[in-house]
Amino acid sequence: MSKILDQRILLLVISFSASVQSTKVLSEWKKCGDPECEKAMSRVQATTDYLGPDCRFLNFKTGEEIMVYSKLSRENENLWTGSKGKDFGYFPRDAVKVEEVFIGEEVEVLTKETDFLCLHEDKYVVE
C-alpha cells in the first residue's frame, strides 16, 4: 500500500512540474500595436519549418503566412506571437521575414499570466 501511495505522489509531483514548466512566463513585457494587443502589427512569411517545444508555440512550414500580434521584449526579444489560420502561438523571429508592416509605432505593455497558457478551442488549458 505504501509503495502505491509513493508512486501516486511521484506522479503528482511530475505532473505539477510539467504544468509549471509549460506556464512559465517567457517575458514580463511585450510590444504590441495597441494597448490591448488586438491589432495585427505585421504579416510575415516563414523562411523555415518550425516545430515548437510545447502547445504555447505556433508550428509552421516554410512559405506559410503568419499575422504578428505582439513581440516579447526585454528578457526574450526573439519570440513573437502570431496566428496562422485558427492556430495561435509563439515563434522565433528569425524563422520569418517581414512582408508587410501594419503598425509603425509599438506600445510596450506588461504581459499577463494568460499570455503563457495554451489556448484550445477558446479555452485556456494548463498541461
Side-chain angles (χ1 to χ4, degrees), residues 1-14:
M1 180 77 160
S2 175
K3 188 174 182 178
I4 292 173
L5 183 58
D6 289 344
Q7 288 175 342
R8 287 183 180 176
I9 290 172
L10 179 61
L11 287 173
L12 182 62
V13 168
I14 290 170

Side-chain angles (χ1 to χ4, degrees), residues 6-7 11 14 30-31 37 43 60 68 80 85 99 121:
D6 289 344
Q7 288 175 342
L11 287 173
I14 290 170
K30 63 184 175 180
K31 293 179 182 177
C37 297
R43 180 177 52 82
F60 50 80
V68 177
W80 289 2
E99 294 285 308
E121 298 176 10

Side-chain angles (χ1 to χ4, degrees), residues 9-124:
I9 290 172
L10 179 61
L11 287 173
L12 182 62
V13 168
I14 290 170
S15 175
F16 178 73
S17 296
S19 294
V20 170
Q21 185 178 16
S22 70
T23 60
K24 179 180 153 198
V25 173
L26 300 172
S27 178
E28 295 290 326
W29 295 91
K30 63 184 175 180
K31 293 179 182 177
C32 301
D34 62 290
E36 292 79 30
C37 297
E38 294 177 351
K39 294 180 181 174
M41 299 174 70
S42 60
R43 180 177 52 82
V44 299
Q45 184 176 41
T47 57
T48 185
D49 293 354
Y50 178 72
L51 180 61
D54 62 47
C55 60
R56 298 173 297 169
F57 290 79
L58 183 67
N59 300 320
F60 50 80
K61 302 255 186 230
T62 303
E64 290 186 308
E65 289 189 349
I66 301 163
M67 300 300 287
V68 177
Y69 288 92
S70 69
K71 302 171 181 179
L72 295 185
S73 60
R74 300 188 188 188
E75 302 99 53
N76 204 348
E77 294 184 351
N78 185 45
L79 290 177
W80 289 2
T81 311
S83 67
K84 175 189 69 135
K86 291 191 234 177
D87 298 330
F88 186 85
Y90 293 94
F91 60 91
R93 72 178 181 186
D94 58 358
V96 299
K97 68 178 178 181
V98 177
E99 294 285 308
E100 186 175 5
V101 175
F102 304 130
I103 303 290
E105 191 172 325
E106 299 172 347
V107 178
E108 190 170 49
V109 297
L110 283 167
T111 59
K112 301 176 241 172
E113 184 178 323
T114 54
D115 288 338
F116 305 104
L117 298 177
C118 296
L119 182 61
H120 293 294
E121 298 176 10
D122 300 325
K123 296 178 189 171
Y124 285 110

